[in-house]
Amino acid sequence: MRVFIVAVGSHGDVLPLLAIAAELRRREHAVTLAAPAPFAAMAARADLPFFAIGTEEDYRLAAAEAELWRPWRGVGAMFRHVSAATEPVYRWLAANAQPGESVVVASTLALGARVAQEKLGLDVVTVHLMPLLAGSRADPPVLPGLPLPERLPARFRHWIGRGADRFVIGPAALPALNEFRARLDLPPVQRLRRWWSSPQRVLLTFPRWYAAPQPHRMPQSLQVGFPLADRFGDIAEPEPAVARFLEAGPPPLAFTYGSAMSRSQTFFRTALRICAQLGRRGILLAPQSGQVPARLPDGVLHVPYAPFSRVLPRCAALVHHGGIGTVAQALAAGIPQLVVPVAFDHFDEARWLRRLGVGAALSRRRFTPGRAAPTLRHLLTDPRVAQACTAAKARMAQEDGVAEACDAVEAFWAGAEHSRQSGS
């Protein structure tokens, strides 16, 4: 099987697809990964052929855009950068993938793959990493910047979500997409969130116990486990200084605000005050320069990057932005989580964690030592939270989301092959 994997986004979007690519290659399929340019080194370590989407400067400028990290305005900023990737992805697939001879596995924002599916007849599997992207009329997601109370009727919350499609997502994403489609003699897309899912197969990479299947969900969708992929990141093992720090005292509080967030100075200053107030050690994970104070107190360590699977099991709790990959790693580690959501799916992930009983959430405005310290103290001392975290850890240990996703891709390809042979 020849596989073209396309991942558009930051670490949380790319690493799960990279892990799936590496496992498919281990299974002796011919695999090529397309992703933003900064992920070339990670692909090389996994021995994957690589196609760079954009340049490293393009990626840096996108991550540095202030609008990207605002709940509503972030949608427009995101799709400006996503639109720039649509035509290059389409052209790359048009030049390399052959209908009936290859399968494309594409992340949600790899819109060029969906265009190629329609124009060129390619077989495409869409991968949605988070429940927000699956949609539900019975249990609508929490939208960024619009945390409607769950006591409101689901029909009303779903109607608000449709309004977001029409007045926020559509104006941000559709003009550039439909201009490109017009040049290919394709009809315009009317509603992006309905169109971006492949009609052939959709993988929802979050387990049923985290977000249960919903009525009205796409019939072509298949739910698998979380594709844990942290060891495919910048480094596979923590630096020796990290191991020494973890061994030198009691489990620290861990703080991170995502791989691409470049405006987290307030978050990390608050983190230091929380550690002091609770009398806890802390580890600050921040790859972007200038986010963490240059001088740190004893008992606090700054690390640009460390694999969560190696660090979090030795931490007391995790405070973070709410990205789905980070959520999954903390669930696997069996530690409580405090989410301080920024944009995108972060607000919705906080809801799922609260339902599981393993976490809590504070808005950025309310994330102060006076509010966060008591919240963390409760998460660290409540036996019900500890029990819920232990249960989540046990469930995570029983799953292999990467292997499940690869099994699903192979089964899809086998079914497509059978259909072609039957048709002939």
Side-chain angles (χ1 to χ4, degrees), residues 330-363:
L331 290 172
I335 61 174
Q337 306 180 49
L338 174 57
V339 174
V340 186
V342 182
F344 313 120
D345 67 312
H346 305 164
F347 301 84
D348 197 51
E349 305 310 335
R351 171 182 68 144
W352 295 112
L353 293 176
R354 286 194 298 265
R355 287 187 180 182
L356 285 174
V358 301
L362 289 172
S363 68

Side-chain angles (χ1 to χ4, degrees), residues 162-351:
R162 291 290 300 269
D165 282 357
R166 181 177 179 183
F167 297 109
V168 179
I169 296 174
L174 294 182
L177 173 64
N178 285 333
E179 187 276 330
F180 177 54
R181 289 172 62 84
R183 286 191 275 127
L184 297 176
D185 295 322
L186 291 173
V189 171
Q190 301 297 329
R191 187 180 173 200
L192 185 74
R193 287 202 298 168
R194 178 175 293 173
W195 171 84
W196 65 15
S197 298
S198 168
Q200 294 178 289
R201 171 59 79 195
V202 172
L203 294 185
L204 307 175
T205 59
F206 45 87
R208 291 167 176 257
W209 58 263
Y210 179 75
Q214 298 294 318
H216 314 295
R217 187 163 279 173
M218 298 166 285
Q220 77 275 28
S221 66
L222 177 67
Q223 207 161 345
V224 300
F226 291 118
L228 300 180
D230 66 308
R231 295 188 68 194
F232 288 91
D234 295 344
I235 56 175
E237 297 292 340
E239 298 290 345
V242 177
R244 290 194 298 269
F245 176 80
L246 293 171
E247 293 167 358
L253 300 174
F255 297 84
T256 185
Y257 225 34
S259 63
M261 180 60 165
S262 60
R263 286 172 170 78
S264 53
Q265 296 91 340
T266 300
F267 173 84
F268 286 111
R269 286 196 299 268
T270 302
L272 294 179
R273 295 173 62 190
I274 291 169
C275 289
Q277 189 164 325
L278 293 177
R280 293 269 186 171
R281 302 194 314 148
I283 181 167
L284 315 180
L285 296 121
Q288 301 278 355
S289 61
Q291 305 305 301
V292 174
R295 298 183 62 182
L296 297 175
D298 293 339
V300 178
L301 177 70
H302 169 223
V303 183
Y305 182 88
F308 283 147
S309 62
R310 296 295 187 265
V311 173
L312 293 186
R314 304 181 66 179
C315 293
L318 176 64
V319 184
H320 64 104
H321 58 305
I324 187 68
T326 306
V327 164
Q329 292 289 349
L331 290 172
I335 61 174
Q337 306 180 49
L338 174 57
V339 174
V340 186
V342 182
F344 313 120
D345 67 312
H346 305 164
F347 301 84
D348 197 51
E349 305 310 335
R351 171 182 68 144

